[in-house]
């Protein structure tokens, strides 16, 4: 008599049954079964969910977001600027060639409003600035000959000499003398600066839609010579007073002229190209870009020098300039009807309406009093033979 085969452990047998069940269920086909439930509250929830989804897609997706359009962001742009006006300081009259840097008329430029001038600097030796670390001294032993401080004004000679004023002493340096702090004179140029005018000429192009437009009105009657920007009356006259720009940025002009700062002129071109080109208009906004509330990095200044010769000796005038830097920033987006995004969003909308059925099925099978009856009615199983489709005898 043959020996009986050992039975597999119970856990192995259960795992095999589970695997066979999953494999069998993998090949099942499921088809929805329609059941009409006469329940007013459930019907209200169902229609309300459908209505909310429909409103979301009609109002927000299609009307607000205009998702039926093909879109392009970041237009190709060119900016040309021109500043006009004169002002005066305590010692001279300044014209635009002197206070605008750089003079090329690009999208970023500075208008000088205050300067600290160190005149007649020549190569030689002189006391180092007291602002330089380890520059103060009591004797020559405190100064190391040949030492070069990267934040200083020259190479130290090894001598300790009296400072330009007061009783203090600093190490002597070889460089452009006198150093900036020792003989600088401050001059304020901002007296007439609020009345400077700035022409900002901007042209944009959306290559996907082959659409171009500019911010200057196409007129030949000398319109630009007599107009000034106004959001309502003269939108296409991009001539701005400097005082107007600073005011719209929420800044005090006198304070800004003394410390310097960076003001952004933002031009936004949001264009619906399904409408006439006259509806695509620039929108201007102004704000300060540099962090004025951080003392260590607030304000704006830069240095430059003017060189000349006196009796054959090279001489320069060092100028530390404080000013208002203007950054013209252009951005925007354009949209035009396209069939592909329209079909995609319509399909998404129709599919999302099915969320109402899913929610109501969950309520029906979870919270209703006769949920087991509904579950039995909703889920039926049919075999593969023809007798499986026959009803009860």
């Amino acid at each position: 008599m043959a020996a009986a085969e050992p039975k597999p452990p119970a856990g192995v047998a259960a795992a095999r049954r589970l695997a066979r069940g999953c494999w069998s269920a993998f090949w099942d086909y499921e088809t929805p079964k329609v059941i009409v439930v006469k329940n007013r509250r459930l019907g209200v929830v169902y229609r309300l969910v459908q209505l909310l989804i429909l409103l979301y897609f009609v109002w927000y997706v299609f009307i607000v977001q205009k998702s039926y359009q093909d879109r392009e962001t970041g237009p190709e742009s060119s900016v040309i600027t021109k500043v006009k006006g004169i002002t005066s300081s305590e010692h001279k009259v300044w014209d635009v060639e002197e206070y605008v840097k750089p003079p090329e008329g690009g999208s970023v430029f500075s208008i000088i409003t205050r300067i600290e001038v160190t005149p007649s600097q020549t190569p030689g030796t002189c006391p180092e600035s007291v602002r330089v670390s380890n520059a103060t001294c009591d004797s020559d032993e405190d100064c190391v000959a040949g030492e070069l401080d990267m934040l200083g004004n020259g190479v130290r000679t090894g001598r300790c000499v009296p400072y330009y004023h007061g009783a203090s002493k600093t190490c002597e340096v070889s460089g452009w003398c006198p150093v900036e702090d020792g003989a600088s004179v401050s001059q304020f140029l901002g007296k007439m600066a609020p009345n400077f005018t700035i022409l900002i000429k901007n042209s944009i192009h959306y290559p996907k839609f082959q659409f171009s437009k500019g911010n200057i009105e196409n007129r030949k009657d000398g319109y630009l010579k007599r107009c000034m920007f106004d959001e309502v009356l003269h939108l296409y006259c991009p001539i701005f007073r400097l005082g107007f720009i600073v005011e719209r940025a929420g800044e005090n002009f006198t304070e800004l002229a003394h410390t310097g700062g960076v003001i952004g002129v933002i031009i936004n071109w949001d264009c619906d190209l399904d409408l006439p080109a006259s509806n695509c208009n620039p929108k201007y906004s102004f704000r300060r870009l540099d962090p004025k509330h951080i003392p260590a990095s607030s304000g704006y200044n830069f240095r430059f020098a003017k060189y000349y010769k006196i009796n054959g000796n090279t001489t320069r005038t060092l100028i530390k300039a404080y000013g208002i830097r203007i950054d013209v920033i252009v951005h925007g987006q354009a949209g035009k009807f396209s069939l592909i995004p329209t079909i995609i969003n319509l399909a998404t909308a129709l599919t999302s309406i099915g969320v109402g059925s899913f929610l109501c099925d969950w309520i029906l099978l979870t919270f209703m009093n006769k949920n087991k009856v509904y579950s039995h009615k909703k889920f039926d199983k049919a075999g593969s033979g023809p007798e499986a489709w026959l009803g009860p005898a």
Side-chain angles (χ1 to χ4, degrees):
M1 184 174 180
E5 294 182 0
K7 294 183 179 180
V12 175
R16 289 177 179 176
R17 288 194 300 272
L18 179 62
R20 284 196 297 268
C22 291
W23 177 253
S24 177
F26 178 77
W27 300 106
D28 291 344
Y29 169 70
E30 297 178 358
T31 183
K33 181 179 181 181
V34 178
I35 300 176
V36 178
V37 179
K38 298 293 185 178
N39 187 295
R40 180 62 59 86
R41 286 183 293 181
L42 190 62
V44 169
V45 172
Y46 178 58
R47 297 305 178 188
L48 183 61
V49 171
Q50 285 186 322
L51 179 61
L52 291 176
I53 294 173
L54 190 63
L55 286 176
Y56 168 77
F57 277 93
V58 171
W59 177 76
Y60 182 76
V61 175
F62 286 97
I63 296 180
V64 177
Q65 295 294 324
K66 299 181 180 178
S67 298
Y68 56 87
Q69 293 182 331
D70 189 12
R71 309 195 72 80
E72 182 179 10
T73 59
E76 298 173 353
S77 172
S78 69
V79 174
I80 300 173
T81 58
K82 183 182 292 184
V83 182
K84 289 186 177 181
I86 60 172
T87 188
S88 62
S89 63
E90 292 82 352
H91 301 93
K92 61 176 289 188
V93 174
W94 297 73
D95 59 14
V96 68
E97 287 77 13
E98 296 179 288
Y99 62 74
V100 174
K101 303 289 181 180
E104 288 82 5
S107 60
V108 178
F109 60 94
S110 301
I111 298 176
I112 299 174
T113 52
R114 185 171 72 90
I115 59 174
E116 293 179 357
V117 181
T118 306
S120 304
Q121 282 189 323
T122 57
T125 58
C126 55
E128 177 62 284
S129 170
V130 292
R131 297 184 182 181
V132 178
S133 61
N134 299 324
T136 57
C137 60
D138 296 318
S139 65
D140 294 346
E141 295 179 355
D142 298 327
C143 304
V144 180
E147 185 179 15
L148 178 64
D149 192 319
M150 298 305 298
L151 299 179
N153 295 281
V155 180
R156 295 186 180 181
T157 64
R159 297 176 57 205
C160 183
V161 295
Y163 196 56
Y164 300 95
H165 47 77
S168 60
K169 291 182 178 182
T170 60
C171 293
E172 185 181 58
V173 294
S174 176
W176 287 97
C177 295
V179 298
E180 184 178 35
D181 295 336
S184 62
V185 178
S186 178
Q187 299 181 38
F188 183 66
L189 286 65
K191 182 178 180 181
M192 299 298 295
N195 295 318
F196 293 166
T197 59
I198 304 172
L199 169 65
I200 302 177
K201 183 179 180 180
N202 176 223
S203 299
I204 57 103
H205 176 67
Y206 287 103
K208 179 183 286 188
F209 306 114
Q210 293 299 306
F211 177 82
S212 300
K213 196 169 185 181
N215 67 337
I216 296 181
E217 188 153 356
N218 186 18
R219 293 171 59 171
K220 298 181 179 180
D221 56 357
Y223 172 68
L224 284 180
K225 295 182 179 180
R226 62 177 186 275
C227 70
M228 193 68 65
F229 174 80
D230 184 275
E231 289 180 335
V232 178
L233 301 177
H234 301 292
L235 180 62
Y236 282 85
C237 174
I239 299 178
F240 305 86
R241 287 176 52 253
L242 180 59
F244 171 82
I245 292 176
V246 174
E247 179 183 352
R248 290 292 295 271
E251 298 296 322
N252 179 277
F253 191 92
T254 302
E255 179 182 339
L256 189 66
H258 275 87
T259 62
V262 182
I263 301 294
V265 178
I266 297 95
I267 307 176
N268 185 33
W269 293 86
D270 281 346
C271 300
D272 185 351
L273 301 184
D274 293 327
L275 302 176
S278 58
N279 291 79
C280 176
N281 299 311
K283 293 183 179 179
Y284 298 88
S285 59
F286 312 87
R287 66 184 183 90
R288 185 165 180 175
L289 301 179
D290 64 303
K292 66 176 182 178
H293 299 299
I294 303 178
S297 62
S298 65
Y300 172 71
N301 64 77
F302 59 95
R303 290 174 175 83
F304 63 96
K306 296 181 178 180
Y307 294 86
Y308 49 94
K309 285 185 176 292
I310 298 179
N311 298 327
N313 297 321
T314 301
T315 307
R316 77 175 188 181
T317 297
L318 177 64
I319 299 174
K320 182 179 181 181
Y322 296 81
I324 301 173
R325 196 181 88 175
I326 303 295
D327 289 14
V328 182
I329 303 170
V330 181
H331 59 77
Q333 60 180 349
K336 193 172 185 178
F337 174 79
S338 178
L339 189 60
I340 293 177
T342 302
I343 293 175
I344 292 174
N345 284 284
L346 280 175
T348 304
L350 294 175
T351 305
S352 300
I353 292 178
V355 173
S357 299
F358 175 80
L359 177 64
C360 290
D361 281 350
W362 177 68
I363 295 174
L364 180 69
L365 301 176
T366 306
F367 298 105
M368 302 295 288
N369 292 331
K370 300 180 180 180
N371 56 344
K372 292 184 178 179
V373 175
Y374 294 136
S375 178
H376 178 72
K377 293 288 185 180
K378 185 172 178 61
F379 301 105
D380 284 342
K381 292 184 180 179
S384 59
E387 67 278 359
W389 300 95
L390 299 176

